[in-house]
Each structure stands twice: as structure tokens, then as C-alpha cells.
Amino acid sequence: MASDVISGVCVVLFLFSGLSKGYRVTQPRLLQVLASARVLASVKASQGSDPCKSYISFPYLEKRSTSYTLPTADDSLNDFYIDTSNDWFGEEGYDLVSRALPPGDGRCGTTYPLWVRDTLPRGGMRKTVEVCMKDGPDQCSMTFNIDVKDCGTLRVYHLKKPPVFEAAYCVDLTDPTKPKTTFKVKPTVQIDVETDKVNKDHFKFMCMFAKSDEDLLYHVLWYVNGGLIHSFPPKHWSNTFIDHSALTEDILTTNGFETPGFQLQCAVTASLGEGFPAGERILSDEKFIGIKIPSGTVAVKEGEAGILNLTLTAPLGCGPLHDCRMNVFVVTRNPPGACDPSAFIRSQCGFAVKGSSWRTVHHLEIQGKLTSGYNAKTTLTKLYLKTDNLVITHPFWSNYDIGSVTVQVEKEVVINKQSICHAVQDPHMRTFDGRYYEFHQPGVFILYKHDELELEVQMQVSPCYPPTTVQCPCGIAVRAGQTIFHIDKCNRPDWSIDFVSCKDGKDLIKVLKSGTHYKIYLPTGSYLDINIIPTSKFFDIFLYPSYNDLGKVAGLCGTFTNKCEDDFKKRDGTFETDPKAKHACARGAASDSFDSFSKSWSADVNLFNHDDFHRLKRWTSPMMLCTCAYHNRFPQKLMEAATCSAELNKDVCNFNKLFLPLPSSSRQCVVETNRKKRTAVHRQIYLEKRDAEDTGTPTTWTTATARNYCNQLFNNSRAIAACRTVNDLSAMIQQHEDNCILDITATSAVDFASQSLEAAKSECMHEVEMNSTFHTEKTPGVPSFLSTLSAMTCTNDCSGKGLCQNGRCSCNEGLGGDDCSVDKTQPPIINGISDDGHCDLATDNCNETSLYGPYFDEYGQIRCRFVSFTIRADGTQKTGKVSYSKPQVESFAEVICSLPKQRKKRSLSVQTPEAELGSGFRISVANYGDIFSDYSVLVLYNSTCQSCNVTGKAVVCVFRSQSCIARGVCVSHGKSHPDNPCYVCDASSSVRKWIHKSDEACTATTTDTSTPVPLWIIGVVFGGLLLGGVVIAGVCFYKHGKKKNNIVDTPRGSAFMMNLSADKVASK
């Protein structure tokens, strides 16, 4: 290994030196040098072996003659790569040049010729000879010694590395009078596979040629990557000649080639007999042994596919089997970030090769990943290929590093710039292509539906403020196949924000949140932006399309074809007949409404109704995309589920690091298997409208006063001021300001004003995030525009009651919440508890429960408090310990409290077990400090033998069978207590109890205070204490001469017994 490293270093030094001296190093020559370095560093003769039988031929023999002059355009031979191992070189009929005078300049194919200035050994002797190097006019500028051994028909030389670069040994005919044969032939390499005794296949490479009619000696030489690795001794032709001169895996492995992945050549020389020089050699064509992969760079465009063709050039042996297979894996090291273009592999991370069809061309389909952003960009992704760690039938194929393919993914300027669909306030609509219109229909409607995929977004609207007929969005449901995520406040006292179905897996829909702000990503890369004001029951909806949606969607958001004339396409495929619906974007009026079009998109399958879920189709993707990430080592199987996804846009490009996945995103979705349902406690505990006096504004409004109010609201926003500096955003901001004016004059209230402001900020932030020119620092040390805008953008501008710092509100004293609208002195309110406050130990481990309310502050000092209770057999409750835990804030409307661990199994006890009906907790929540909410009740029971009912704070449990309950476990009548087998269940009356057994194993009475084992232990302990006291007293008496009656050990025994007694009393 050390010699390999040294050889590699030498090659690098040689290249560096050559380049620095101005030598021309061509690509073929570079490969030749590298190959020779590897070969000559790896071909080792064993210590003590006979060099006459383990020599190798001189490389480039035809150029080493003193009569060969190095052409000006040719590369100089260089033997500097020869290491200091036991390599011996020789060739029948040839010797190193031995003479008194040096060869001429430029002879022997090198810059600095090396020759022997000594006599060569004869008669089987071994001799150390002096080698000279010619350097210009100096006939022998440097000398060093090498060993030479006479082998009878030839001499072999233990060559050493020359002292300088561009030096090479001169080799000439031993006896110029001996003629060469004129025979020359260009052989071919033939591949065969042989099966050994243990049924493993191995390669056998044969050098095929047509022999001469003369009786010649043939010499077969094998080359790997241009370097000679093995030569067989010259032999006469026989029927087994080809077989005996074949290159085997053993020879390859000995020379460091342990897997495929190399160029193989052979050559054949011939001579007239022993001691005669060999004739001309011609190398066979190179034959690559391995798997051919594309060279150069494979280019694909974002969202499009490219094909990599891979071909085996040698067979996969199957041993005695009829057929076999070998896996080829593909992995990506150092992939680009989620926001950069990158390459996916379709279907799975690799392919399988069958032995019976190894010549088949295998296709690897590469998909250019779709990314967010508007700017053109190009990235490179390297794909590395490798075979199985172990190919059982043909081990030489095992752990073969095939190489890498560079994939260039190009992102062009996208077509969805400033494409957005929104439904804001009451609601003002905008299609993807930019057409504004009004919508005033109640019910559930389809905003977006994909033509080719099972993707859908529904919006539910209800009257904003009854009895007015103005409608506002109060619910959004996002569907991919049979996976549904919704945000819903329609006809319910608290917000519901959760997956309500996930039969196709939660990963299809990715949800990120920052406080009350949500981003919901579809598998195509499209996403929704929902910013909720908890004190309202309505919200604005923003839907941003992706390249996958172009010309493939319909619904209230339009067709997304980059033209407004076809936006109002109805559900049945026809178009709105109102002439205004066919206007271009610029001619459309925001006040237009198209009732026929709107009604056609009423949802026939309601995603807000669980009873309709069975009508939904499963998710089917047109392809599987695999990231094929590298995890320190390659996988052992082609695992689709582990590395591949049916999502067309697998990674979320998240520009704002304040947005994080839902806390429960890593949990298994359980909505389809008895998911905990919410308790609907119908209490009106908050205002659905902001109080008029809070605004400090008049109660009657004109267009002028509304404009003044909205102008002031927008002008006071630092974020809007920054957004106005961005080209092309002024019109968008003005549209939302006009909506603000329109809503105030229509409702004579400012309830929608803040939503108009938030809508403008949301669209501005999206445009800045999509434009990468805003992501970099223009001036060193000055944050980018995106960073600056993110830092000054807070929900509702902190309600004017705090400062926006780094995207979060720093509220005034006594205030909290996302927008500083929460009074910290007021406790949170609990509207409901999961599963109506029931937890069935027969079907649930009961380790957590959810509480629902109008607002929980995840950035406060939020805590859950538990007061445990036990329901006695007579129906009364016994209050237990108080404990606390930090909840998981699933959303501002839901916290998940981890329940205290259930009491541990008690050891054998002499006391009578307490009969009980059930147990539970009184649970409350505090946002800040010790200001806790009113409590909700959670009862733990076992439905196998019980039923319980929670009404408000009252709990009633009854037995359904003749059983008792112990630690949540049902115990049938007459069966033993799980903790104390000496007591059995007595269910003969309505009041359950545990009665003591009367058998010999339980001889004590129910009031007995001891059992044989505890009494024995107490006696031993007491005796030990007494004995210790006596010993101590004896020592004291001996030392101090005190009397025996001064020893006082009784209090120790009494105290011990009292402690036991106290323990017993405490446990009752």
C-alpha cells in the first residue's frame, strides 16, 4: 500500500514537473503514465521467488533501442514511476545496453538515456552493475547500481527508479546477428466464464490470434489500462496454448484489479527459438470490462426527463443457476439544496441486471426537479453508481464502483411569475392568470382541481356577519388522493387544523407553520398561504401554482394558461356566457361577478363531510421520484418505499426559517383508526368582530373617510413601504388597498381592513421569495432585501402594541400572542377535550390528550396541569396528586398534553386493595405563569367491563359485567387481584369489593398487619440492629469503663417500627 501511495505521488510530481518545464503531456500519454504507475506499483514478485520465472517484459520495448530517436512531437519515455519493490524486467533476445560510451542525445525514446557501464553476468550468475545517465555533454552525469541475473536464455534486471524525470533505460538486441521473425499479428480479446468447484463463476480472458505456419515460440502479454501486468513465458504452439495463456481473475486480483472497470488488451510476439529476439508486437483493440456509463455531462431541463443508457460489456455469471441478478445502485453525494434545481431518479434508485440478458441496454430515467423561484439557474448533480456488496454467483462483480455521471439541471425563467389565485375578505377573487371578480355564493366550492392528478382544494364560505348575505371564507380543505388536510372554523366554536384523512400518507401534503401562519404544499409544488387571525372566524386564501399546473387545472382559480379569456371555464367544460368573462386581463373589472360560473364549481363531494370520503379516489402518480441520498454506505436493496416518493415536488423550498413542520408531522396518522374526536362545547367565549371602539374611527363611513383610513393603515406599515420599492408590486398593493376601501364602505366597519393589509404583505413576500436577486447582499455586511423584509413582517403589524423584531412581535408589557392581542392576565379558555373526555384503556395507552380552545400561545410559558382523581366503589371521588407538563402545541387552537405516568404496580401488600370504579385527571392549561384555565375532565376506564359518561365536570361509571377494576384492568368475579393474589374480586353486589382468600397460602385475616415473609425480614433487621448495638456498647464499656445499663438501643427498634406503621397508614 505504501508503494502505491509513493507511486501516485511520483506521478503527480512528474506531471507537475513536466508542466512547469513546458513539456507537452497529452491526454493519452497521461492515461498511459497513470496506468503504468498503477501497474508497476502493484505487480510484485514474492520475496525469495526465482526472478527468472517471475519477470515482466520491458514496457514500450520498440522505443528503447539506441537506434530510435525521440521525435519532436512525441512524448519522452519516463521510468521515474518504477518503485523500489522486487520487480524484475526482461525479454528474450534483449538486454539493457551495455557499453563504454553513452547513447546519443534523444536516443532510447527519452530525454536522459540510462545504460549499463559494466559487463553483464553469464552462466546463471547474479551481479550488481553500474548504470550511467547521460545528461547533455556529460557522458555519465549520475550513476547508481542495479542487480542483474543470467537465466540462460535471457537476463532479468532489478530496475530502480531513475534519479530524475524523463529518464529511461535503453534496451537493444542481445545478439544483433540473430534474426527476428517477420511474423506479426493483431490479436483479439475473447471473454469466457468458468464455474469452479464451489459453483462460483470467474472470468477467463483469452488472447485469440492466428498462428504462423512456421514453428515459432509465442509470447503472450496482457495489458490493463495501457500498462503491462502479466506476460507468459514463450512457448511453442499446442492445442492448449490459448487456454494456458489466458488471463484469469487471480492474476488480475494479484495485480490490484479486484473488480471490473478497466480497459483490457493483449499482444503476441514470436521468435525463431530460445535466445532469439521477438518480432514486432501489435496490441489488440481495447475491450472495456465492466458497465459503460455516459461520458461528459447529461443535461436535463427542470420538470423534464433525460435518459442514461448503461451497458454491461462482460457477462454476469450465474454458476449452476438458470438465471441470476445483480443490483446496480445509484446515489447522490452532496445534492443541491431544496431551493436549487437537482436531479431525481425515476422508479427506484438503480436497476437489476439479469444474467440471461446481460447484453440488454439498461435505461436510467433522470427527472429534473421543479423548484420555486423565477430566475434562470443551472446546477450540477453527480450520480454515483455501484454494484451489490456481494454478487454471490460471480464475486468479481461485487462492490464494483462503476463511476459517476454528471447531470446538469437547467432552470429557465418560469412562466408562473406573479401567478396567484386568491379569495380574500368577502371574498374578492383573483384567478391564476390575473382576472379579478366578486364571489357571493354560500356553501362549499372547488377552488382548484387538477385535470390529471387527484389534487383538489375546496373552500367553504358562510355569512360574514349574519343576517348580512355577504360571504367569507371560513374553511379550506386540501386533498391529494385520500389524504386531506383542512383548516376549518365554519359552524364551530374553535378552529380545527389537522389532517382529517390520510389513507395515502401524510407526506403527500406538507404543512409548515409559524404561529398562526400556515403554508400548505401540494405534491406538484403548488402551495397555499393561510394567515389566520385567531379572534376572527374567517381568513384569506392564497394559492400559488407550479409548472406542473400549467394548462392542467380548473375551478374558481381559473385555467392557468397565461391568458384571462378562458379563465371562466365551468365544471362541465363549457364557458361562462357573460361577454365580460371573455375580456382580456387588462379589460376585466374587479367588481364583475359570474354566478353561473361560480355555481358550477359547487362541490359534489364535500371534503368537509367525512361521509363523502369513501367516494374519493386514491393517489396515483405518473412516476416515482427517488432522491437516492448517500448515507455513508450504499444500500443493500433497491428499496422504493425507503427512498422514493410519488410526489412530483419532493422537497419544500422554505425561504423563511421561522416556518417549521407541524409538531405531529412525524407521528403516524391515525384519523382512519378511531381518531380522537373533539368535544364541541358550545360556549361563545370571544368576539367574532373587533370592537368598533378599538379602532378609534367613526361609525358611519363615506368613500373619502374609508380611503383616508386605508391609506393611513397601509402607509404606517414598514413592510408595505418596503414592498412599494419593488418593481411591478405597486398595482398589487393598490388592489388590496382598494379592497379595504370597498369593504369598509360596504359594511360600515373596519373588520376586513387588517386582512387587506395582511393580504398585500403576503403577496409581496411571495414575490420577493421567488426572485433570487433579492436573496443576496448588495453591499457587504448589509442584509439582503429578503432578510430585511422578513425581519419587519409580523402578523397584523403587532396590532400596534409591540415591535416587530426578526419576524416576531415583541409585545408591550402584559400582552402576548402572535400579534400582541392577548391579555396575559386572562387565562386561556378550553372549549373541548379529545374524545369527549374519555380514554378507553382497552384500546388506547392513554398517554396523552388534546385540548381545544380559541388561542394557545406556543411562544409563552405554556403548561398543562393535572389533578388526578379516583372514583371509589361508592361513586365518590378521591383527589390525588397535582403534576405539570409542557404540552406540544399542535396549533394555536390545540395543545397535546402528555398524561402523568400511571402508578406503578405495587408489591405484595397486606392491606385490603381499595375498590374503585375508575380514575382520571382534571386538566387545565396556562399560557403564562400560573394563570390556568378552568379544567376539563378526562376519565380513564376499560370498556371491556365498564362504561363511563362525562357530563361537564361530573363523571358516572358503571360496570357492564360481573367484574372489578384494578389499575385499569378488568378482573372477573372470583379472580385474584393483579397486585395481591390473596384478594379476589367480589362482584356479587352493586358495590364491588376485594375479599381475602381463606386458603392456607393466605392465612392472615383481612386486618392482619403482617405476613410470614415481612415478619421474618423485620425480625432479621431488628436482630441485626440489636446485635450492632451490643457490639458498640461493649467497645464503649471497654474503653471508658461505662456500665452496661447505659446502652440504649430500644429507641432504634421503636423508630423503625413506627416508620413501618407510618408507611402503612400513609398507604391506606
Side-chain angles (χ1 to χ4, degrees), residues 443-726:
V444 177
F445 294 86
I446 298 172
L447 271 180
Y448 160 102
K449 186 173 179 62
H450 202 282
D451 295 339
E452 299 175 358
L453 303 171
E454 288 298 317
L455 289 177
E456 184 178 2
V457 177
Q458 291 186 6
M459 169 183 71
Q460 185 171 4
V461 293
S462 64
C464 301
Y465 305 112
T468 64
T469 58
V470 178
Q471 308 293 318
C472 290
C474 57
I476 191 79
V478 183
R479 177 178 79 88
Q482 293 185 347
T483 292
I484 304 170
F485 179 84
H486 80 185
I487 298 176
D488 187 16
K489 187 62 170 59
C490 306
N491 305 314
R492 58 172 68 239
D494 57 278
W495 292 86
S496 174
I497 305 172
D498 209 347
F499 284 91
V500 292
S501 175
C502 44
K503 283 187 175 180
D504 285 319
K506 290 171 69 173
D507 287 343
L508 274 180
I509 300 174
K510 291 183 171 62
V511 183
L512 303 180
K513 80 176 185 72
S514 175
T516 60
H517 196 169
Y518 287 80
K519 291 186 178 182
I520 308 165
Y521 292 84
L522 279 69
T524 53
S526 313
Y527 79 95
L528 291 97
D529 189 308
I530 310 291
N531 197 356
I532 301 171
I533 298 176
T535 52
S536 173
K537 65 178 289 187
F538 308 110
F539 53 83
D540 293 337
I541 301 168
F542 302 89
L543 176 53
Y544 299 96
S546 77
Y547 177 86
N548 283 314
D549 296 319
L550 184 63
K552 300 176 183 178
V553 296
L556 296 181
C557 285
T559 53
F560 188 33
T561 58
N562 279 336
K563 58 182 180 180
C564 292
E565 293 84 346
D566 62 359
D567 271 356
F568 298 105
K569 181 180 180 180
K570 296 182 183 180
R571 185 76 174 274
D572 60 5
T574 63
F575 289 88
E576 171 66 50
T577 56
D578 189 326
K580 292 182 292 184
K582 298 181 181 180
H583 286 173
C585 300
R587 293 181 57 203
S591 59
D592 292 340
S593 61
F594 306 101
D595 290 346
S596 175
F597 161 76
S598 298
K599 289 178 181 178
S600 75
W601 286 106
S602 177
D604 53 348
V605 177
N606 188 346
L607 299 184
F608 297 90
N609 182 1
H610 285 256
D611 293 337
D612 281 359
F613 289 0
H614 72 280
R615 299 168 60 188
L616 301 173
K617 294 181 180 179
R618 300 297 298 265
W619 172 260
T620 54
S621 175
M623 68 190 80
M624 294 287 286
L625 297 182
C626 312
T627 53
C628 307
Y630 180 76
H631 298 292
N632 295 325
R633 63 179 184 176
F634 283 77
Q636 299 300 311
K637 295 181 179 179
L638 297 178
M639 295 291 290
E640 285 190 6
T643 57
C644 303
S645 170
E647 304 163 65
L648 302 182
N649 188 66
K650 202 171 159 45
D651 299 312
V652 168
C653 179
N654 181 19
F655 295 100
N656 191 334
K657 302 309 177 186
L658 296 178
F659 280 84
L660 299 172
L662 297 180
S664 64
S665 60
S666 60
R667 293 170 177 240
Q668 183 179 1
C669 187
V670 294
V671 295
E672 299 301 331
T673 54
N674 195 27
R675 187 185 189 278
K676 295 184 176 182
K677 56 187 179 181
R678 300 164 182 259
T679 304
V681 181
H682 295 286
R683 295 185 274 174
Q684 194 64 29
I685 42 73
Y686 58 93
L687 294 176
E688 292 183 354
K689 296 174 63 176
R690 295 181 179 271
D691 295 331
E693 60 268 23
D694 289 344
T695 66
T697 52
T699 55
T700 58
W701 295 85
T702 64
T703 300
T705 56
R707 179 173 289 107
N708 289 336
Y709 179 85
C710 293
N711 286 344
Q712 183 177 2
L713 178 68
F714 276 65
N715 291 338
N716 286 343
S717 171
R718 295 170 60 211
I720 291 297
C723 290
R724 282 187 167 131
T725 66
V726 179

Side-chain angles (χ1 to χ4, degrees), residues 264-281:
L264 186 61
Q265 291 172 286
C266 71
V268 177
T269 63
S271 65
L272 295 172
E274 292 185 355
F276 282 80
E280 185 178 348
R281 72 182 69 171

